[in-house]
Amino acid sequence: MKQSYPIAPKHPYVHQLHGDERIDDYFWLRERDNPEVIAYLEAENTYTEARMQHTESLQTQLYEEMLSRIQEDDLSVPYRYGEFYYYTRTETGKAYPIHCRKYQTLDAPEEVILDQNQLAEGTEYFSLGGFEISPNHQLLAYSTDTTGAERYTLFFLDLATHQLYPESISDIASFTWGNDNQTVFYAQIDAVNRPYKLFRHQLGQSAESDQLLFHEADDSYFLGIDKTRSEAYLLLSLGSNITSEVYYLDANDPNGEFRLIRPRETGIEYEIEHHTDTFYILTNDNALNFKLMQAPVSNPSVEHWKTVIEHHEDVFLMGISAFADHLVIYDRESGLPNIRVRKLSTQEEHRISFPEPTYEISESINPEFNTQILRFGYTSLVTPSSIFEYNLDTQIRELKKETPVLGGYDRTQYKSERLEAIAADGAKIPLSIVYRGDLDRNGRNPLLMTGYGSYGVNYPDVFSSTRLALLDRGVVLAIAHIRGGSELGRKWYLDGKFLQKQNTFSDFITCAETLIQAGWTDRDHLAISGGSAGGLLVGAVINQRPDLFRAAIAQVPFVDVVTTILDTSLPLSAIEWEEWGNPNEREFYFYMKGYSPYDNVEAKAYPALLVTAGLNDPRVSYWEPAKWTAKLRDLKTDTNVLLLKTNMGAGHGGASGRYERLKEIAFEYAFLLDQWKIT
């Protein structure tokens, strides 16, 4: 007998604002303590399991296939920090990394610092937050979360005795050591997960006696604490989505007072890097794509700022790292990331070149300041994640490790390309694609397109061994670098937010149409996916153009936009006003209502849809995907499958541990392959 889908009862709730009424039949699903809510989520999970039962052997096959490509016993590239080499390793059958070190030489005996597998025993979910060695390398401060709610607890471990200090501190975010090895600074979060208070803690004492140093009262600001690479200064950073404020403190004087660099000014962002007697300041002050300034540490107020790198309209300055005689500069040009190196003693500059049409780079772990060696990560859609060491003087790079891909992976069998889609207003939207080189392009190839397009986040063109399970079955994978990200600079981001948010959705639709017109796929074989704000993207485009897509996966999707952002009792809502707009203002309210996926569900045919949620998710509350699913069930006119899968013991990131994560991916892939009728 075919399993019938759950039907959520309707309990109409009326939202009223700006003379407008929104009837919300499923508002009651936010009552987490209501047994009927949990029963509904569990009923949806039971239905999803039943509807996917015929794919169980495929899920198992996909899981085993993906697992077989991973070298389970593996080792990270050790990095030198002080007198030790630090690294992590993994063991077969164990879900989490083991943190280790060796004294002075890699031939020395191994010392296990922290085994995450032991910490995770008996928990359904486990996440290691921060991990910071004290300056004298005798102590470890680390934080853990065992629910997925992102409320971390801070612990202190004596590395000589491997005994924990008696105190632990709950509800913390970032933290760092003072240089006395006894003082720890930490940011604490409020009831809605916003880091808002900075405390100073003395090791071995109760947290109740910790001194409050700063309280950020503005709900739209986050507080963070960090230390410069030089280890000379602590940086207290306060920031909203569009404004920054930074204080600094001599790390050798942990009982001193933080000093302000530049007071907050709405719309002005800046961040700090330290070099000897100079602060380098990356800022957007009269510089849309950011510029680099410098100021003396003795008096870094804004009137002493001097330009180091001018603003450029076609180059987006992303960040810098300061070493003893070098500045490493990260920027983006023509949609691709770059690394430039400036030798401080001569002011000579060169660029590190990369060979592929689309790729991603990142700074790796570089704790040493007095070095001419830069360690960076490189990957592409066909090149596994790699760690390079680059001599900043000789310009010689050395590959230290490429992540093994077992099973005979041969990158020459796969191709990646950078395409362009042209929006109605003439904007050129980058599209990255990857596929098997022997693909028979017949205009009906199954294709999975994904995107994000919010917060200025770039969707990275990175390698994934799990994707091979799709590529080897003839699936084309595409990434749409749509407006709302920063791939083409800051303007690309601004053109996809506030009252121009529709560009994000229109760009994605244009990319889909372009791929169809170019013969990569057709409407019966095009699937899309996106998570969080990328889930909003999926929800918006299947409302606006449901005819374009065969199937869609929306992972922890942000779909009830207006209701959520109006509710300041929820995590992140107030700070979101600087990304989407404040719906308390009439113009923003009606604009956001116009694209909000939940508010725009209609009686029409929709693609096959898999929706995921996390019961403990602090970013996108579980009820958003649950309400959206219930409303879609009530109104959609098609017979395509609609599934809601809620992880009852996890949060925004899904399952923890590498094996459970692979099972989630296998489930999603099985859903897609089933829709494409690929067995």
Side-chain angles (χ1 to χ4, degrees):
M1 180 177 176
K2 196 170 185 178
Q3 176 90 11
S4 59
Y5 56 75
I7 300 175
K10 293 182 179 180
H11 301 296
Y13 181 94
V14 181
H15 300 279
Q16 291 183 316
L17 189 64
H18 304 303
D20 182 53
E21 283 192 355
R22 291 181 300 125
I23 309 298
D24 189 347
D25 290 327
Y26 305 104
F27 187 78
W28 67 277
L29 284 172
R30 62 189 286 145
E31 300 168 10
R32 178 173 169 156
D33 295 331
N34 182 343
E36 290 183 39
V37 171
I38 301 301
Y40 170 70
L41 296 177
E42 290 175 339
E44 285 283 6
N45 280 349
T46 300
Y47 173 71
T48 294
E49 187 176 350
R51 285 301 303 264
M52 288 290 287
Q53 186 174 12
H54 69 286
T55 70
E56 283 182 357
S57 61
L58 176 59
Q59 291 177 50
T60 301
Q61 179 185 344
L62 288 164
Y63 171 78
E64 291 175 350
E65 191 177 310
M66 292 187 288
L67 183 60
S68 72
R69 292 194 173 101
I70 295 173
Q71 185 167 300
E72 294 187 72
D73 286 303
D74 204 1
L75 187 73
S76 70
V77 182
Y79 62 90
R80 180 74 181 243
Y81 176 36
E83 294 288 294
F84 291 89
Y85 285 93
Y86 290 87
Y87 58 95
T88 60
R89 59 179 175 82
T90 53
E91 294 181 358
T92 300
K94 294 186 177 181
Y96 300 96
I98 301 165
H99 299 259
C100 310
R101 71 180 179 183
K102 293 183 177 183
Y103 183 61
Q104 288 191 333
T105 170
L106 290 173
D107 296 326
E110 177 181 89
E111 176 189 354
V112 174
I113 303 173
L114 197 71
D115 186 342
Q116 290 189 46
N117 301 285
Q118 293 178 1
L119 297 179
E121 283 181 9
T123 67
E124 186 176 349
Y125 178 93
F126 177 82
S127 171
L128 182 70
F131 177 97
E132 188 161 336
I133 300 288
S134 63
N136 64 6
H137 298 264
Q138 295 176 11
L139 305 162
L140 170 67
Y142 69 92
S143 60
T144 64
D145 167 27
T146 56
T147 67
E150 300 179 32
R151 303 188 74 86
Y152 287 85
T153 300
L154 178 61
F155 300 93
F156 305 100
L157 181 67
D158 186 318
L159 295 177
T161 65
H162 276 267
Q163 296 297 310
L164 283 171
Y165 277 74
E167 74 269 25
S168 61
I169 307 172
S170 59
D171 298 334
I172 65 100
S174 54
F175 58 89
T176 195
W177 290 94
N179 284 350
D180 63 348
N181 303 292
Q182 291 296 309
T183 308
V184 176
F185 298 80
Y186 63 89
Q188 195 154 53
I189 59 176
D190 62 13
V192 293
N193 278 39
R194 180 179 69 95
Y196 77 126
K197 287 182 178 179
L198 179 71
F199 286 92
R200 179 162 45 210
H201 174 75
Q202 293 299 312
L203 204 60
Q205 298 185 11
S206 168
E208 294 178 0
S209 62
D210 290 351
Q211 182 182 2
L212 175 64
L213 301 179
F214 197 94
H215 177 195
E216 177 52 68
D218 190 326
D219 288 342
S220 64
Y221 279 75
F222 276 29
L223 179 154
I225 186 70
D226 198 6
K227 188 186 286 187
T228 59
R229 181 199 312 283
S230 64
E231 298 194 325
Y233 290 94
L234 304 174
L235 298 176
L236 166 61
S237 299
L238 305 154
S240 70
N241 277 337
I242 62 171
T243 306
S244 307
E245 186 174 73
V246 181
Y247 294 77
Y248 67 105
L249 171 67
D250 185 340
N252 292 317
D253 183 23
N255 292 312
E257 293 188 3
F258 282 87
R259 296 171 60 193
L260 177 63
I261 291 181
R262 175 176 180 169
R264 65 187 69 175
E265 181 180 341
T266 301
I268 302 299
E269 300 172 66
Y270 69 96
E271 59 186 60
I272 301 298
E273 177 73 301
H274 171 247
H275 186 284
T276 58
D277 58 356
T278 299
F279 281 137
Y280 285 100
I281 307 119
L282 190 69
T283 181
N284 70 338
D285 187 7
N286 291 314
L288 182 64
N289 277 332
F290 286 76
K291 62 185 176 184
L292 185 65
M293 313 291 283
Q294 67 179 32
V297 170
S298 58
N299 192 349
S301 55
V302 67
E303 60 267 19
H304 293 98
W305 290 14
K306 295 181 179 178
T307 303
V308 178
I309 299 176
E310 297 277 4
H311 172 260
H312 293 279
E313 287 191 7
D314 56 351
V315 179
F316 183 29
L317 194 56
M318 304 285 288
I320 65 151
S321 290
F323 294 85
D325 192 29
H326 300 87
L327 274 186
V328 178
I329 303 151
Y330 299 91
D331 62 36
R332 292 188 77 93
E333 188 174 3
S334 302
L336 292 173
N338 303 303
I339 303 178
R340 288 186 287 140
V341 178
R342 178 175 294 188
K343 189 173 177 66
L344 293 173
S345 56
T346 66
Q347 293 300 303
E348 292 177 329
E349 190 173 299
H350 69 271
R351 178 178 291 196
I352 303 176
S353 62
F354 301 102
E356 297 182 90
T358 175
Y359 58 87
E360 192 63 38
I361 51 178
S362 59
E363 182 165 317
S364 189
I365 301 174
N366 290 287
E368 300 281 307
F369 176 73
N370 292 300
T371 179
Q372 73 276 15
I373 299 298
L374 168 71
R375 184 175 285 184
F376 66 86
Y378 176 88
T379 182
S380 76
L381 294 172
V382 298
T383 300
S385 179
S386 308
I387 299 295
F388 284 91
E389 282 191 352
Y390 182 82
N391 190 302
L392 299 169
D393 284 326
T394 67
Q395 303 184 28
I396 295 173
R397 77 183 83 183
E398 179 188 357
L399 176 63
K400 302 300 291 185
K401 178 177 181 178
E402 182 177 281
T403 301
V405 182
L406 306 184
Y409 172 69
D410 179 0
R411 78 194 65 196
T412 65
Q413 294 182 7
Y414 303 85
K415 292 185 178 179
S416 66
E417 294 183 27
R418 177 61 68 97
L419 309 177
E420 235 175 31
I422 309 299
D425 62 1
K428 297 178 179 178
I429 311 155
L431 260 169
S432 303
I433 63 168
V434 60
Y435 56 95
R436 273 190 67 103
D438 57 1
L439 181 78
D440 174 23
R441 279 189 54 185
N442 53 29
R444 302 186 307 279
N445 301 100
L447 188 148
L448 174 62
M449 183 172 73
T450 187
Y452 190 74
S454 292
Y455 303 104
V457 172
N458 302 315
Y459 202 113
D461 290 340
V462 298
F463 180 83
S464 166
S465 65
T466 59
R467 287 191 197 134
L468 298 176
L470 295 180
L471 297 178
D472 289 346
R473 287 170 171 82
V475 179
V476 179
L477 293 167
I479 299 171
H481 301 286
I482 50 185
R483 280 176 281 190
S486 294
E487 284 89 341
L488 295 179
R490 188 71 164 193
K491 188 176 186 300
W492 198 248
Y493 166 45
L494 299 179
D495 285 349
K497 68 179 295 189
F498 291 146
L499 300 175
Q500 299 190 80
K501 190 63 198 172
Q502 179 57 39
N503 283 336
T504 301
F505 315 128
S506 299
D507 284 359
F508 198 73
I509 290 168
T510 296
C511 287
E513 293 172 331
T514 298
L515 290 167
I516 291 171
Q517 291 163 5
W520 286 100
T521 189
D522 62 14
R523 298 179 183 195
D524 291 331
H525 294 89
L526 175 57
I528 56 175
S529 70
S532 195
L536 161 64
L537 170 69
V538 168
V541 300
I542 65 170
N543 274 337
Q544 295 177 19
R545 287 297 304 278
D547 58 300
L548 266 183
F549 312 108
R550 174 70 191 92
I553 298 177
Q555 300 142 329
V556 290
F558 173 44
V559 285
D560 193 8
V561 179
V562 179
T563 305
T564 291
I565 295 181
L566 277 170
D567 188 348
T568 55
S569 71
L570 298 175
L572 308 179
S573 286
I575 200 169
E576 294 293 314
W577 293 350
E578 291 181 348
E579 174 68 21
W580 314 95
N582 183 352
N584 289 297
E585 298 176 23
R586 182 181 180 86
E587 184 179 23
F588 280 115
Y589 171 86
F590 284 102
Y591 188 83
M592 294 161 72
K593 181 186 175 186
Y595 65 74
S596 170
Y598 182 66
D599 290 300
N600 289 281
V601 173
E602 296 176 330
K604 60 187 176 187
Y606 282 88
L609 185 60
L610 169 62
V611 184
T612 69
L615 184 63
N616 300 326
D617 191 339
R619 298 176 186 245
V620 176
S621 299
Y622 72 88
W623 63 74
E624 290 200 46
K627 288 169 53 178
W628 186 45
T629 301
K631 190 172 183 180
L632 280 164
R633 284 209 192 288
D634 182 52
L635 291 178
K636 76 188 190 82
T637 59
D638 59 88
T639 57
N640 293 326
V641 66
L642 168 60
L643 304 177
L644 172 64
K645 187 173 190 283
T646 304
N647 190 322
M648 306 297 282
H652 199 62
S656 67
R658 53 181 176 167
Y659 300 111
E660 291 305 311
R661 181 65 192 128
L662 284 182
K663 289 175 184 176
E664 286 189 339
I665 296 171
F667 184 90
E668 293 177 4
Y669 284 5
F671 170 81
L672 291 171
L673 293 169
D674 187 48
Q675 292 303 313
W676 286 319
K677 297 183 169 39
I678 299 174
T679 56

